[in-house]
Amino acid sequence: MAEDPAVSDAQVTRALSVYAAMVDHVLRDPGRWLGLDEDPPPTAPFPARALDALRDRALGEVTPASPQWAEQPLPRRVDWWVTRIGISAGLAAATPRFAGALADRVPLQAALGASAAGLAVCATAREHGRTTPAEWVPLLAEVLFDRDLQPAAAPLPTSEEAEHRLDADDTGGGGGAGEEDGGDGGGRAATPGRGAQRAVRTVWHLARAFFEVQRLLEERPRGGLLTRAIGKLPVVGVAGGWLDERAGIREAARRTAELIP
């Protein structure tokens, strides 16, 4: 692919450095930033309880926070992240598809999709031993934009700056993890809807890092033609969009694994 001269390597490096610094926080605490870990209350309707059961079956009991995590085979650890990101970030990225083909005209849609696929790049790299955000920048450029970059030369935001970007503009008195994830003691915050809202906010804040390079976003990994076609339909486009973004997430993880010796 010919490089777009309107988007310099310096711009790509700067955008991806900000993005990678934020993703570092997300991967360290996926329960906080991606939501959907909370158990629904006993009074939750059947669809909520059914979704919770499906989620538990897909993700299993061994998570990155478990003592047994390092004992899991590498492919299983990567697949856990791909599934996790597909459920939360993939669904969040597909939400604008409710408007059908109109979503393609909004730069936000492509940025959300790129941010979801980028999570898979960083998570896969992390499980392969590339654990620092600076190491993720060239991989993100290659997988998302087909751009060959040298290791990150742009300074990465500090840990505090990256967390502030993730929390920026949240409502509810600061949006702390205790409030979002059941801290009210009444079960209201434990509904899957609240967890999904947290995932949407996180993916949105990650996507904002890509606005400077939005001309490149259509190069991101995507699903097949069928899922893209369904995604252009109003209302049901959310389902097609989710399948499209989920396929892009899995493809991003596959490409990343191929690039790491």
Side-chain angles (χ1 to χ4, degrees), residues 97 104 109-110 113-114 117 217-225 227-229 231-232 241 243-249 251-252 255:
R97 291 291 179 180
D104 290 332
Q109 173 59 50
L217 296 180
E218 289 305 320
E219 302 299 329
R220 73 190 192 279
R222 300 282 301 276
L225 295 177
T227 57
R228 294 193 199 186
K232 294 182 181 296
L243 293 173
D244 182 20
E245 301 300 348
R246 190 178 66 167
I249 288 165
E251 175 64 12
R255 291 187 194 176

Side-chain angles (χ1 to χ4, degrees), residues 120-157:
V121 172
C122 299
T124 301
R126 191 169 182 257
E127 294 301 334
H128 279 80
R130 305 284 184 90
T131 58
T132 65
E135 294 178 289
W136 302 340
V137 172
L139 291 169
L140 287 164
E142 178 75 18
V143 174
L144 298 184
F145 307 139
D146 196 18
R147 181 73 69 94
D148 185 15
L149 289 184
Q150 296 300 314
L156 273 72

Side-chain angles (χ1 to χ4, degrees), residues 19-210:
Y19 174 83
M22 289 192 287
V23 170
D24 187 43
H25 281 276
V26 176
L27 299 185
R28 289 176 185 275
D29 192 356
R32 175 184 177 187
W33 297 110
L34 295 179
L36 299 180
D37 280 337
E38 308 89 349
D39 293 326
T43 56
F46 174 76
R49 289 182 281 113
L51 178 62
D52 178 66
L54 289 173
R55 182 208 66 201
D56 289 344
R57 184 185 306 173
L59 298 178
E61 297 181 357
V62 179
T63 73
S66 305
Q68 302 89 351
W69 179 254
E71 301 171 5
Q72 300 297 303
L74 175 60
R76 184 174 299 177
R77 298 200 307 269
V78 171
D79 189 64
W80 186 94
W81 281 110
V82 169
T83 302
R84 183 69 161 76
I85 293 166
I87 291 174
S88 51
L91 186 58
T95 301
R97 291 291 179 180
F98 188 85
L102 291 176
D104 290 332
R105 303 179 184 180
V106 181
L108 172 64
Q109 173 59 50
L112 290 172
S115 70
L119 277 168
V121 172
C122 299
T124 301
R126 191 169 182 257
E127 294 301 334
H128 279 80
R130 305 284 184 90
T131 58
T132 65
E135 294 178 289
W136 302 340
V137 172
L139 291 169
L140 287 164
E142 178 75 18
V143 174
L144 298 184
F145 307 139
D146 196 18
R147 181 73 69 94
D148 185 15
L149 289 184
Q150 296 300 314
L156 273 72
T158 66
S159 179
E160 292 76 15
E161 290 171 340
E163 184 167 6
H164 176 72
R165 285 176 178 268
L166 281 170
D167 263 334
D169 300 325
D170 276 357
T171 58
E179 291 179 354
E180 295 287 338
D181 300 333
D184 64 356
R188 181 173 176 269
T191 65
R194 292 295 292 259
Q197 289 171 21
R198 165 51 93 179
V200 169
R201 283 196 296 272
T202 296
V203 174
W204 157 246
H205 291 315
L206 290 173
R208 295 200 302 192
F210 289 130

